[in-house]
Amino acid sequence: MSTILRRLPASEATGLRIGARHSLAEVYRPADLVVLGLGVMIGAGIFSIAGEQAATTAGPGVILSFMIAGIACLLACLCYAELSSTMPTSGSAYTFTYVIFGEVWAWIIGWALILELQFAAAMVARAWGAIAVGAITNFGVRVPHEGVVQDVLVFVILVLLTGIVALGARVGLRALWIMVSAKLLAIGAVIVVGLPYIQVANFGEFYVPPKTLDTAPATVLEVFIGESQAFGWFGIFAAASAIAFAYIGFDIVATSAEETANARRAVPRGMIRSLVIATVIYLAVALVMVGMVSYTRISEQAPLASAFQAVGAGWMAHVIDAGAVLGLTTVILVLIVGQTRVLFSMARDGLIPRALASVSRRYHTPTRVTLVIGLVAIVLAEFVPVLTMQQLVVIGTLFAFTFVAAGVIVMRRRMPYLERGFRVPLSPLLPALSLVATLWLMVNLRVLTWAWFVLWMAFGLLVYLVYGRRHSVLAQPDLPARPVHGRHRR
């Protein structure tokens, strides 16, 4: 048992600028990190999630749901900020856990991040294909064999974005700046055009009396209380769990640490700023959405577009389509970047084949692992019903959040001497609150999601026992610190 609980020395994770662990080119500036966060947090959901949750779960109280979800994610973000400022590494929560809790727990978190990032990339690509076809048809163009066209578009976007990431971080960064700027313009247009149509009466008192549903309990919390409910305070908090999915992604900013100048300070600031900006933008769109039409008249299929249609501004549907396509494009791009950096770190530590940790001399990126990730994403998007797996992505992320929150508390006691570029205020209170908030979000997920998650983690543990435990760099001290084939040498 002591073998699998061995911990990575803190010096291995913190000596990135001069040690063997740093082998990625430095490309990110502080502003780039904010764009990276906005690129993944603001997707097509910004045009739909407020309307969907208002119509089915929270009513006008969905505004409060956005605030609650934002606060819960901000608590987690503060914990990520401290650990990333202490260990600025591309492994993010995986490496944090390796240093604080040990190898087996690091593997488990790494496996959960694979679930989050790999399945999310495939899922978002599938949604991108459907929205792209819908946007084309909304312009009056007839699309024959829509299913086939969607499959082709999904394949093309994943090949294109995988190629951009493989060609180098600078190429992806330029593309990201252009697309994020364009989608923010689309969102700005939605807010500016929608504001004059807001009617205060549509907000009511932000509270709709609770209603018991006829459906069987599905979430862990519903099973515990014995019934399914919507609206009321229960609905407001339940909607917050669904909305949290929109904010998830700030953690990917931490995976850019090895490629960021002055990472100890820049990465925490980038994460916090991008999350705060994303929260404000989501709240602004939610206010417009709920204020334009009564929650009882919101269409679940196209909430924002139907709201503009109802007030006589149907032409905004084209702006929304463009924003949605751009939004999902940047999400896929950043997810591939984040997954690449996590797997790169796991391979560098020997827990997955070390050949995946090589860095291209020509492009100065982990090209090999990027191509593997792109191929797996294509297979999942084309042949697996990934659109039904949204909650699996969420639970993988929230699971990592719990370890990060606990990690702040444990590391303060075990390693108070480590340099920190950022400290969570009021520790251990705020990390403890983050842990509680994350667990609350998790019990609002379906029981079936928990069952699939347990099976995924059990399979992952088997993979570790069969391969990772024996091939870990810590288990083979005679091996060179990092693979040298294909590395970018300065």
Side-chain angles (χ1 to χ4, degrees), residues 24 88-92 95 254-258 338 341-342 344-345 348:
L24 297 174
T89 165
S90 62
S92 184
T95 303
T255 67
S256 67
E258 289 188 36
R341 274 52 184 175
V342 171
F344 170 76
S345 295
R348 199 166 49 180

Side-chain angles (χ1 to χ4, degrees), residues 208-232:
V208 177
K211 180 173 67 175
T212 300
L213 305 178
D214 295 332
T215 56
T219 69
V220 173
L221 185 60
E222 288 175 349
V223 169
F224 181 76
I225 65 176
E227 62 182 12
S228 298
Q229 291 185 4
F231 305 108

Side-chain angles (χ1 to χ4, degrees), residues 107 200 215 360 464 468:
W107 170 265
V200 177
T215 56
S360 167
Y464 169 76

Side-chain angles (χ1 to χ4, degrees), residues 8 13 21 80 83 87 89-114 251 254-255 258 341-352 400 403-404 464 468 472-474 482:
L8 183 71
R21 289 181 63 84
Y80 265 92
L83 296 190
M87 294 173 275
T89 165
S90 62
S92 184
Y94 153 75
T95 303
F96 306 158
T97 306
Y98 209 161
V99 172
I100 300 169
F101 297 108
E103 185 172 281
V104 67
W105 294 112
W107 170 265
I108 287 172
I109 292 301
W111 196 248
L113 292 176
I114 291 173
D251 54 314
T255 67
E258 289 188 36
R341 274 52 184 175
V342 171
L343 285 186
F344 170 76
S345 295
M346 295 176 73
R348 199 166 49 180
D349 293 329
L351 300 186
I352 61 176
F403 273 77
V404 170
Y464 169 76
S472 167
V473 169
L474 295 186
R482 290 294 180 262

Side-chain angles (χ1 to χ4, degrees), residues 161 174-184 326 329-330 333:
L161 296 181
R174 292 190 193 102
L176 189 64
W177 267 95
I178 293 170
M179 289 187 288
V180 168
S181 299
K183 76 176 176 182
L184 289 179
L326 286 169
T329 304
T330 63
L333 179 63

Side-chain angles (χ1 to χ4, degrees), residues 147-428:
V148 175
V149 173
Q150 281 188 32
D151 290 341
V152 172
L153 288 176
V154 169
F155 177 82
V156 170
I157 194 63
L158 284 173
V159 169
L160 178 63
L161 296 181
T162 299
I164 288 175
V165 176
L167 287 174
R170 284 190 174 88
V171 176
L173 186 58
R174 292 190 193 102
L176 189 64
W177 267 95
I178 293 170
M179 289 187 288
V180 168
S181 299
K183 76 176 176 182
L184 289 179
L185 286 174
I187 294 168
V190 166
I191 295 170
V192 171
V193 174
L195 277 175
Y197 297 105
I198 290 179
Q199 298 182 29
V200 177
N202 289 328
F203 294 112
E205 297 178 355
F206 287 100
Y207 181 83
V208 177
K211 180 173 67 175
T212 300
L213 305 178
D214 295 332
T215 56
T219 69
V220 173
L221 185 60
E222 288 175 349
V223 169
F224 181 76
I225 65 176
E227 62 182 12
S228 298
Q229 291 185 4
F231 305 108
W233 283 108
F234 182 93
I236 289 172
F237 278 96
S241 296
I243 289 166
F245 176 73
Y247 295 139
I248 286 173
F250 64 82
D251 54 314
I252 297 178
V253 176
T255 67
S256 67
E258 289 188 36
E259 300 160 271
T260 302
N262 191 21
R264 290 189 187 277
R265 296 187 180 278
V267 171
R269 291 173 181 173
M271 279 193 293
I272 295 170
R273 288 170 180 171
S274 62
L275 177 60
V276 170
I277 293 171
T279 302
V280 170
I281 292 173
Y282 269 102
L283 275 170
V285 174
L287 284 167
V288 170
M289 169 79 259
V290 177
M292 287 172 65
V293 294
S294 169
Y295 78 95
T296 58
R297 296 172 52 208
I298 294 175
S299 166
E300 294 181 40
Q301 287 69 40
L304 197 54
S306 65
F308 277 108
Q309 187 72 40
V311 297
W315 57 271
M316 280 296 296
H318 300 308
V319 176
I320 294 169
D321 286 341
V325 171
L326 286 169
L328 290 186
T329 304
T330 63
V331 172
I332 301 168
L333 179 63
V334 179
L335 287 170
I336 294 174
V337 170
Q339 174 73 318
T340 297
R341 274 52 184 175
V342 171
L343 285 186
F344 170 76
S345 295
M346 295 176 73
R348 199 166 49 180
D349 293 329
L351 300 186
I352 61 176
R354 298 181 84 217
L356 295 176
S358 64
V359 176
S360 167
R361 287 192 179 95
R362 181 176 181 181
Y363 301 116
H364 313 313
T365 59
T367 303
R368 188 177 298 173
V369 72
T370 302
L371 296 177
V372 170
I373 288 168
L375 178 61
V376 173
I378 290 170
V379 172
L380 290 173
E382 298 288 9
F383 302 107
V384 177
V386 287
L387 290 178
T388 63
M389 298 180 177
Q390 176 173 315
Q391 287 205 355
L392 267 177
V393 172
V394 174
I395 197 172
T397 309
L398 295 178
F399 187 69
F401 283 8
T402 62
F403 273 77
V404 170
V408 171
I409 299 172
V410 173
M411 194 174 70
R412 288 277 187 102
R413 307 187 83 174
R414 282 186 183 170
M415 293 168 263
Y417 53 86
L418 292 179
E419 179 187 351
R420 291 164 171 81
F422 175 87
R423 286 177 174 268
V424 179
L426 302 178
S427 181

Side-chain angles (χ1 to χ4, degrees), residues 64-77 240 243-244 247 250 275 279 283:
L64 301 178
S65 302
F66 272 95
M67 294 179 181
I68 293 168
I71 292 170
C73 288
L74 180 59
L75 290 172
C77 185
I243 289 166
Y247 295 139
F250 64 82
L275 177 60
T279 302
L283 275 170

